[in-house]
Amino acid sequence: MDYFNYRGQQLFAEDVAIAKIVEEYGSPCYIYSKATLTRHWQEFDQAFGSYPHLICYAVKANSNIAILNLLAGLGSGFDIVSIGELERVITAKGDPKKIVFSGVGKRKDEIIAALKVGIRCFNIEVVGELDRINQLAGELGVVAPVSFRVNPNVDAKTHPYISTGLKENKFGLDTQLAIHEYLRAAEMPHIKIVGIDCHIGSQLTETGPFLDALEKVLIIVSILEKKGITLEHLDLGGGLGICYNDEQPPKPSTYINAILKRLGKSYSYEILLEPGRAIAGNAGILITQIEYLKTTADKNFAIVNAAMNDLVRPSLYNAWQEIIPVNQQTNATMFTWDIVGPICETGDFLGKNRPLKLTEGDLLAIRSSGAYGFTMSSNYNSRPRIAEIMVDAKTVHLIKKRESLQELMANEYLLPQ
Ligand SMILES: *Cc1c(COP(=O)(O)O)cnc(C)c1O
């Protein structure tokens, strides 16, 4: 559920007409709903009841500092994958003690920065990373809290690019190697083992693969316990899907209840989750304006002012996102359209074969754009990055200014003449 609804024939974000926002800030732009973000985060949090837990929002889904600050205010933790994301969370007043650091390629400078602010835990994914963290922690005179990301080899049944829990993927350690690494870590002077972690993929629409992964994790946990290694938390990653089209992903409460039911009373671990998409995805829309309608013998194209550099999911994953008019009132006739951007690539489309009533100049909303939208955007074709706006009931906040043409070239230099 979200707060982008029609009132009469006009699309609104909470209590503000989209057309009004565009009048002031132009298009294309991303528009987020504060109430939707809040609601989605709280759904995860509240489903745990009094069971010890921490929701670590996956920053890569949408890393605007206004969004991070909003979630930090709700009590959120954060799952980061780079020093840039670390810096954002700190700037957004996130609590370092609630940060988990994932990723297969943590550099030394990134590890040092995370050790200095005192994060909650490193999710180790590569053998050499443990030695690197132990050494750097020693040099800083601190003890590094770690968890190992295990690869449970389960099929998340999602797009291959966002499936991460199969043994052929680059992520995590297999069971044997993980146990070996835990035993090595237990002997290291500057390492404290705190947990275990897995993340099997994104946009999962069933609970089955999550429970299969949990089963594998629990097997490892019991082996570790027998060897005298006890953990404080289980981090079950992110990956819960959202409805883009007709998917019916489980609700956060259904998914969390299934986890808690499996754990029963025999476990007392704190549970960490790292949802990104399920919190931000349906809390944002991309607004674009039709520049031209182009009809050929074979196809109808609506050429819009947003493109694959602004929203790459359709091009990259062949993802389907709903496209709706901002104003439903029209005299136009229904045709089938490809909604395409101005970029010089045939892969530059936002939607294909959409039955819509269109006129040049119309505004369109591409729904479910709050996650992996702005964060995956680029300057390709020298297109400045677009504005981001957050609506809070009747109030509109600009949370990222549209890039200017000067900013586009700000860090470039001419060769000396
Ligand atoms: C991407 C990612 C997430 C978030 O995934 P969603 O599908 O957006 O919930 C969580 N944890 C890790 C390690 C990730 O790489």
Side-chain angles (χ1 to χ4, degrees), residues 15-30:
D15 298 328
V16 187
I18 300 294
K20 221 141 174 236
I21 299 174
V22 173
E23 251 172 51
E24 184 163 358
Y25 297 103
S27 78
C29 62
Y30 279 100

Side-chain angles (χ1 to χ4, degrees), residues 56 58 60-61 79 81 102-103 123 125 149 164 171 197-199 201-204 237-241 274-278 371-372:
C56 295
K60 73 180 194 283
D79 170 44
V81 293
S102 302
N123 289 338
E125 304 209 25
R149 176 169 175 181
T164 56
F171 301 97
D197 165 52
C198 77
H199 170 75
S202 201
Q203 185 53 17
L204 273 73
L240 188 65
E274 305 167 349
R277 189 188 309 268
Y372 307 106

